[in-house]
Every structure is written in structure tokens, then in C-alpha cells.
Amino acid sequence: MTALSVVRFEQVSFDLYTQMNLSAADLSYDVFNNALMGYYGMYNEGRLSDKGVLTIVDFTKPSNEKRLWVLDLENRQVLHNTYVAHGRNSGEVTAQEFSNEHKSFMSSVGFYVTDEVYFGKHGKSLRLDGLDEAFNSNARDRAVVMHGAEYATEDFMNKYGRLGRSLGCPAVPLGEHESIIDSVKGKTALYIHSGDQSYTSHYLDHANAVAGYVASTQPNLLPPAEFSI
């Protein structure tokens, strides 16, 4: 059953990767495969809405490259592909160290679900809940949120050769942030990838992903309200 789950999921993943032409968007298949596996696992647990949006951050790439993708899985579209900053203590050009600890000022890896929009010192911002114990579960208490920042813009990068750094938040370009937040708000999945070999997640499970995929493709089988008992 496990081998069958692997084969089935890999086919779904590769087909979607190809249909969306994600290689042209410079998104690694392995990173996408992990993100999609977690997406369907999260869906299987009822953590996600039916919005069908998956956001991926690849922190193995340097900050002077576009390393955030917002994907509309339902319509097979790349909604956004842009820059994203990492925490100031995670590294200079590339994020190399990660933490779930308070006041570490590092980025945290793993799977998140987006929550409520609010307006704070960075303007329109989006709260995130980390789902991986020991890797990002303190995200809300640490105020790790998605927000816009001038230091995450292409102008900043062209001037300094890299983006500025946050206190741990995945900060996106000011001017793009409101559109990105509107795309990903409402219980959608976010996956932050790194080269951290210690990272593990129960969402990286093929059987759970296949179950979530099947559930996401099934029509609502509940009878109309007038026929409810």
C-alpha cells in the first residue's frame, strides 16, 4: 500500500508540475513535490479551505533570486513569483540557520496555514500558524507573519546585491504584498523549504497525501437540505 501510494502521488505531482510549467518558473520539482504532499495532507486533516492555493518558499536559493511562488492548483496558474526576505540571524544572502525559538530572529521552516489579515506597523499583514512541532509551532507567538517591506523589493536588491532581512517573517515586496496576501489568505497552505537535514514532518507522508488528493477531487455527496433527515 505504501509503494502504491508513492507511485500514485508521484504521478499526480509530476503531472501538475508539468501542466503548470513550473520548471520555467525555476521551481524545483523536489521542492514542489514536498510542498504538494504537505498540502494534500493538510487538506486531508481539514486544515485548509477549498481555495486551492499553495505558497512555496525555497530558502535554498539566495535572496537576490525570486524564491516565492503562489500557486493556484485548481486553475493550474502561477499567481505570484517574487522575492521574499528571511530572518536576519538566518544568514546574509542565503538562509542557513533556522529556529523556532523566541527572539532568535531566524526564519522557521515547514508547513503553515494562513489565518487572519490585520493591519499593523507594516500595513496589511497576514498571521501564520505553524503546524510542525519543534520547527515552526511558535510562529504565532513570535509574531512571524507575512507582510510587505521596502527591504524586500527589487530596488533594494539592485542597490545592495541582496534583500534586507526581517526578524523572522517571510517579508514580501512592498507594493506587491497586498495582492499576495489577498491571494493566500483564508486557510491556505504555506511551505517554507530549506536545506536543513534535521527537518521532519508528519505531512511528508504519501498515504496521507493520496487520501487528501482523493478527498479534494470528490464531489459533495451530502443531499440537498430539503432532503436532510
Side-chain angles (χ1 to χ4, degrees):
M1 179 62 72
T2 300
L4 184 61
S5 295
V6 171
V7 171
R8 187 174 183 187
F9 178 78
E10 293 289 341
Q11 188 62 59
V12 169
S13 181
F14 184 76
D15 286 351
L16 194 54
Y17 182 83
T18 303
Q19 291 166 16
M20 296 181 71
N21 197 21
L22 295 178
S23 61
D26 201 27
L27 174 57
S28 158
Y29 172 71
D30 289 339
V31 174
F32 171 75
N33 187 61
N34 280 357
L36 191 68
M37 195 183 314
Y39 169 85
Y40 282 122
M42 293 162 67
Y43 188 89
N44 193 46
E45 292 184 357
R47 294 186 178 275
L48 303 180
S49 68
D50 290 325
K51 198 170 182 178
V53 170
L54 168 61
T55 304
I56 302 173
V57 172
D58 184 0
F59 275 153
T60 65
K61 292 179 175 290
S63 67
N64 55 13
E65 294 185 16
K66 293 182 178 180
R67 54 185 183 171
L68 179 145
W69 299 261
V70 179
L71 309 178
D72 181 345
L73 301 177
E74 297 297 320
N75 296 302
R76 308 293 197 264
Q77 293 180 345
V78 179
L79 301 180
H80 303 277
N81 178 205
T82 192
Y83 301 98
V84 59
H86 56 258
R88 72 184 187 195
N89 287 342
S90 283
E92 189 169 345
V93 179
T94 303
Q96 298 176 323
E97 295 186 65
F98 305 91
S99 176
N100 192 34
E101 298 301 318
H102 293 271
K103 297 184 179 179
S104 66
F105 303 140
M106 294 184 189
S107 296
S108 300
V109 301
F111 291 100
Y112 299 76
V113 60
T114 65
D115 208 329
E116 74 269 22
V117 173
Y118 72 99
F119 291 83
K121 64 179 181 180
H122 297 291
K124 191 171 189 174
S125 305
L126 180 66
R127 297 196 193 279
L128 306 170
D129 287 314
L131 302 183
D132 287 321
E133 192 67 34
F135 291 97
N136 62 21
S137 55
N138 291 327
R140 180 173 282 265
D141 290 342
R142 291 178 60 203
V144 172
V145 302
M146 182 178 286
H147 64 78
E150 290 184 355
Y151 58 75
T153 62
E154 194 168 61
D155 287 344
F156 188 102
M157 186 268 293
N158 289 335
K159 184 175 182 179
Y160 296 102
R162 62 166 175 81
L163 297 189
R165 291 161 296 170
S166 68
L167 298 182
C169 297
V172 295
L174 197 66
E176 296 180 52
H177 70 291
E178 291 195 4
S179 178
I180 293 172
I181 288 172
D182 284 340
S183 294
V184 307
K185 68 182 180 182
K187 301 295 183 182
T188 73
L190 164 65
Y191 172 60
I192 296 181
H193 178 80
S194 76
D196 185 356
Q197 298 300 310
S198 69
Y199 172 69
T200 59
S201 174
H202 85 272
Y203 290 107
L204 296 177
D205 177 84
H206 288 92
N208 195 28
V210 169
Y213 171 73
V214 171
S216 73
T217 59
Q218 295 301 308
N220 187 346
L221 300 179
L222 291 176
E226 61 267 26
F227 294 107
S228 298
I229 297 174

